Amino acid sequence: MLSTEIRYFLAVASTGSLSAASQQLYVAVSAISRQIQRLEQQVGAPLFERHPRGMILNEAGEIFAHHVRRNMLEMELAVAEIKGLNAVRRALIRIACTDGMAFDLLPTLMARFRLQNPAVTFSLQIASSSTVAGLIREGECDVAFQFSLQPERAVDVVASWPAPVLLAMQQQHPLAGAAIGLADLSHYPVALPQQGSTVRQLFDLTCHMNGIFIEPVLTCDSFATLWHFLLNTPGALTLCSQFTVLYQTDRLALKSIGINQLSQRTLQVQTPTGRRRSAALALWIDFVCEEITRQNQRIQPMWQDA
């Protein structure tokens, strides 16, 4: 349903070169080049910066690509409504999230939701915070779940909850029943997320501000790895939010360190700005918000009183 010029434009924009787009589309480079030039004539401005190694969208190209993708999403939704897929029968919900959300929270929520809505399917993409932010802004997913240190631009935040950085440990850990200071962590094997995560950013900042150095015995960008290390290493500690282990709290102890800098994050549920929601997506978001709120209220006293 897209014109040839638009299809070729999107291919070059996504691949970054005429040759890569040619391989993707099985169309000659010269044909793609002609269509791009024709499109630029219609728009009345160049859309790419041309370099020896490829083509990069310029400011006009970014604006044009944004509107094309937004119109494509609206077209998909219109077709779905016409076909009757807007009803909660056969529907695909595309989710983007950071790693912490994919470990326990979202798999459990998706499984519980499908018990009531078995025709709904999910596509889950796990990425860094910056990538997730780009996916939701460009409308390449229907809903995003991520931890945020500041308000996100150009997205609709439909729900948020405070998500402080907490210590996670086995229930029999010596610190499980004690007040914890940051310096106490140096006496135990600590496993940390890698430095790109919001957890690690806040933790490193807090350690720096308090003049404390904690050398982790393991760093990893997968919380599943940190989790299994925690369960199999006597005295081990790791960092997470309550939401990362929302349905696993009977297997571990969560503790607050009581430092303000570690309480600056929120868990946000985000959707693309201005985009209409399908019936299935609206039902999913309502379910998620109700379930997260209920479960969070259940476990909050466990770490707030600890």
Side-chain angles (χ1 to χ4, degrees), residues 174-224:
L175 295 180
I180 299 177
L182 197 60
D184 296 328
L185 277 59
S186 61
H187 304 297
Y188 299 94
V190 177
L192 295 178
Q194 290 184 337
Q195 293 181 336
S197 67
T198 56
V199 169
R200 186 64 184 272
Q201 291 172 14
L202 288 176
F203 182 74
D204 287 349
L205 175 63
T206 301
C207 288
H208 177 74
M209 293 178 66
N210 288 272
I212 294 174
F213 175 73
I214 304 295
E215 183 176 6
V217 300
L218 169 66
T219 58
C220 183
D221 60 2
S222 167
F223 185 78

Side-chain angles (χ1 to χ4, degrees), residues 6-303:
I6 296 297
R7 286 195 301 111
Y8 291 3
F9 165 77
L10 291 175
V12 175
S14 63
T15 62
S17 73
L18 291 171
S19 59
S22 173
Q23 294 176 3
Q24 182 184 92
L25 297 169
Y26 299 99
V27 176
V29 169
S30 58
I32 297 175
S33 179
R34 284 196 301 271
Q35 295 293 347
I36 295 295
Q37 292 174 5
R38 179 178 176 181
L39 179 62
E40 290 178 325
Q41 289 173 358
Q42 293 174 354
V43 173
L47 299 175
F48 292 93
E49 295 178 4
R50 290 162 168 83
H51 302 281
R53 292 188 176 182
M55 297 171 64
I56 303 173
L57 289 173
N58 59 21
E59 184 176 0
E62 292 284 0
I63 294 171
F64 189 75
H66 173 76
H67 284 283
V68 167
R69 291 178 178 129
R70 180 59 55 83
N71 288 336
M72 288 172 59
L73 292 171
E74 291 296 328
M75 187 183 301
E76 290 174 5
L77 188 58
V79 171
E81 290 179 353
I82 292 170
K83 292 181 177 180
L85 298 180
N86 198 46
V88 185
R89 292 182 291 178
R90 301 184 308 278
L92 170 66
I93 298 175
R94 302 171 304 161
I95 303 172
C97 72
T98 47
D99 177 72
M101 296 292 90
F103 169 70
D104 174 56
L105 179 66
L106 284 174
T108 304
L109 289 173
M110 289 186 289
R112 294 188 175 190
F113 182 79
R114 291 195 74 255
L115 290 175
Q116 304 171 22
N117 305 277
V120 174
T121 58
F122 293 95
S123 171
L124 179 62
Q125 184 171 353
I126 304 167
S128 65
S129 295
S130 59
T131 301
V132 169
L135 290 171
I136 195 68
R137 277 196 290 267
E138 295 298 332
E140 296 182 17
C141 63
D142 302 310
V143 60
F145 294 77
Q146 67 168 321
F147 297 112
S148 181
L149 298 175
Q150 58 191 3
E152 289 288 351
R153 64 177 180 84
V155 300
D156 291 336
V157 178
V158 298
S160 67
W161 300 267
V165 176
L166 303 174
L167 276 174
M169 64 197 75
Q170 297 184 35
Q171 292 180 337
Q172 65 273 24
H173 196 285
L175 295 180
I180 299 177
L182 197 60
D184 296 328
L185 277 59
S186 61
H187 304 297
Y188 299 94
V190 177
L192 295 178
Q194 290 184 337
Q195 293 181 336
S197 67
T198 56
V199 169
R200 186 64 184 272
Q201 291 172 14
L202 288 176
F203 182 74
D204 287 349
L205 175 63
T206 301
C207 288
H208 177 74
M209 293 178 66
N210 288 272
I212 294 174
F213 175 73
I214 304 295
E215 183 176 6
V217 300
L218 169 66
T219 58
C220 183
D221 60 2
S222 167
F223 185 78
T225 299
L226 300 178
W227 168 259
H228 287 291
F229 181 85
L230 178 71
L231 295 183
N232 291 282
T233 305
L237 302 167
T238 192
L239 300 173
C240 64
S241 82
Q242 71 271 29
F243 300 108
T244 300
V245 291
L246 193 62
Y247 296 97
Q248 302 290 334
T249 52
D250 58 336
R251 303 179 62 187
L252 76 167
L254 291 176
K255 298 278 291 185
S256 171
I257 307 178
I259 296 176
N260 183 59
Q261 287 89 350
L262 295 176
S263 302
Q264 296 176 358
R265 294 192 314 167
T266 60
L267 167 61
Q268 295 186 355
V269 180
Q270 304 167 348
T271 58
T273 298
R275 186 185 174 194
R276 292 180 298 164
R277 298 173 194 160
S278 68
L281 179 59
L283 191 64
W284 161 249
I285 290 175
D286 288 344
F287 171 84
V288 163
C289 293
E290 181 179 345
E291 179 71 4
I292 290 179
T293 298
R294 184 170 62 85
Q295 293 294 336
N296 191 42
Q297 291 172 345
R298 174 183 64 84
I299 73 167
Q300 262 191 337
M302 297 180 185
W303 56 268

